[in-house]
Amino acid sequence: MDPSDILRVATYNIHKGVQGLGPARRLEIHNLGHAVEQLDADIVCLQEVRKMHRREQQYFQRWPDMPQAEFLAPEGYEAVYRTNAVTRHGEHGNALLSRWPVIGHRHEDISDHRFEQRGLLHVEVEIHGRRVHAIVVHLGLIPGSRVRQVAQLQRFIAREVPPHEPLVVAGDFNDWGLQVKRALAACGLYEYEEAPRTFTYPARLPMVQLDHVYVRGLTPLGLHVPRGRIWWRMSDHLPLIAEFRL
């Protein structure tokens, strides 16, 4: 198989670049920068990415002086970020880092109630002259909210993604059942099914898979979750890496 025919996609909830609570909390964004590079993915879908946070910036001496999406982008990658949630001290959202040229992007608010601000990020990239659509999601914590958010995602895909163009939907689905999987299968989206134990959460002792990469118009080839202390120290989620044939 020609290596240029393989698309490598990673999804990673980075927990806003900080781990721990209270005085014990530590800044992990610099380690995450090395980690993202190690993933060696063509497309990296990130959730819980800080654009800025005034209080954390004052607390941590080495807080980056640029938004986290740009800080995490390896050399040669394009970073696309859109805010989902505005809080008292800052804002955070989804990001996509691409090794390939970005030719368009848009954002849609999928908040279901006022206590959880959520959004989807749609980015179009050009790979070997082909347009590939990637949607980054971070769904809500309440089951009913997820059902409505997936329905909104389905409507967005029907409206914005031509059926003949390859599509990737990746992120933190906050769901360990089959509800989301069945709903996405109804729009032709599937993930690699043959990998055993691709649990991603909680990072220290993963027991469920909250993070997924679904595709339409691409052939799933494999799935991998990096493990070990170096990974579980950086975030409460482990990254998920999926490979597809274009």
Side-chain angles (χ1 to χ4, degrees):
M1 187 185 298
D2 186 344
S4 67
D5 288 342
I6 302 220
L7 178 68
R8 189 172 165 95
V9 179
T11 183
Y12 199 3
N13 181 326
I14 65 163
H15 202 254
K16 302 170 186 136
V18 174
Q19 274 291 85
L21 296 168
R25 73 188 191 277
R26 60 186 187 275
L27 186 62
E28 288 291 339
I29 195 69
H30 300 275
N31 292 329
L32 285 161
H34 296 302
V36 166
E37 205 164 7
Q38 290 298 311
L39 297 175
D40 191 29
D42 299 292
I43 293 171
V44 183
C45 302
L46 300 172
Q47 306 86 49
E48 293 195 26
V49 181
R50 287 252 190 246
K51 181 181 181 182
M52 49 85 71
H53 196 271
R54 288 176 289 272
R55 192 175 62 188
E56 298 286 48
Q57 193 168 359
Q58 289 172 353
Y59 183 83
F60 290 109
Q61 287 186 341
R62 296 179 65 230
W63 189 264
D65 58 3
M66 64 174 73
Q68 287 183 348
E70 292 170 35
F71 181 79
L72 291 174
E75 189 174 348
Y77 282 63
E78 269 189 76
V80 180
Y81 164 89
R82 292 297 292 270
T83 294
N84 291 342
V86 178
T87 59
R88 184 179 166 192
H89 297 286
E91 48 192 282
H92 62 269
N94 296 331
L96 183 141
L97 315 178
S98 175
R99 184 179 267 154
W100 295 91
V102 171
I103 53 178
H105 59 86
R106 59 187 63 77
H107 174 267
E108 183 159 308
D109 187 344
I110 59 169
S111 303
D112 187 61
H113 52 84
R114 66 191 180 91
F115 300 108
E116 283 187 295
Q117 296 169 281
R118 304 284 180 179
L120 66 80
L121 173 64
H122 173 212
V123 181
E124 297 170 60
V125 297
E126 189 173 302
I127 302 175
H128 300 310
R130 287 183 77 188
R131 186 183 299 255
V132 175
H133 298 258
I135 298 176
V136 189
V137 298
H138 187 188
L139 300 187
L141 296 169
I142 299 167
S145 291
R146 291 195 294 274
V147 169
R148 290 183 287 273
Q149 286 166 344
V150 168
Q152 191 172 345
L153 170 64
Q154 289 170 317
R155 292 192 295 273
F156 181 90
I157 291 168
R159 189 177 75 237
E160 301 291 345
V161 183
H164 61 280
E165 293 182 353
L167 167 64
V168 176
V169 179
D172 177 358
F173 289 82
N174 265 319
D175 183 271
W176 52 85
L178 295 171
Q179 195 170 43
V180 169
K181 186 187 287 281
R182 286 175 182 145
L184 294 180
C187 0
L189 284 153
Y190 298 94
E191 60 183 339
Y192 184 75
E193 298 284 5
E194 295 171 40
R197 297 179 62 81
T198 48
F199 298 154
T200 58
Y201 183 88
R204 188 183 286 249
L205 188 67
M207 300 175 74
V208 294
Q209 184 180 349
L210 300 183
D211 308 270
H212 298 267
V213 182
Y214 293 95
V215 294
R216 187 177 77 187
L218 298 167
T219 306
L221 296 176
L223 206 55
H224 172 61
V225 177
R227 300 204 182 278
R229 185 173 188 271
I230 193 167
W231 291 100
W232 60 248
R233 277 184 60 82
M234 286 187 284
S235 173
D236 57 343
H237 287 246
L238 293 171
L240 182 76
I241 307 160
E243 290 191 334
F244 306 95
R245 187 165 61 243
L246 286 160

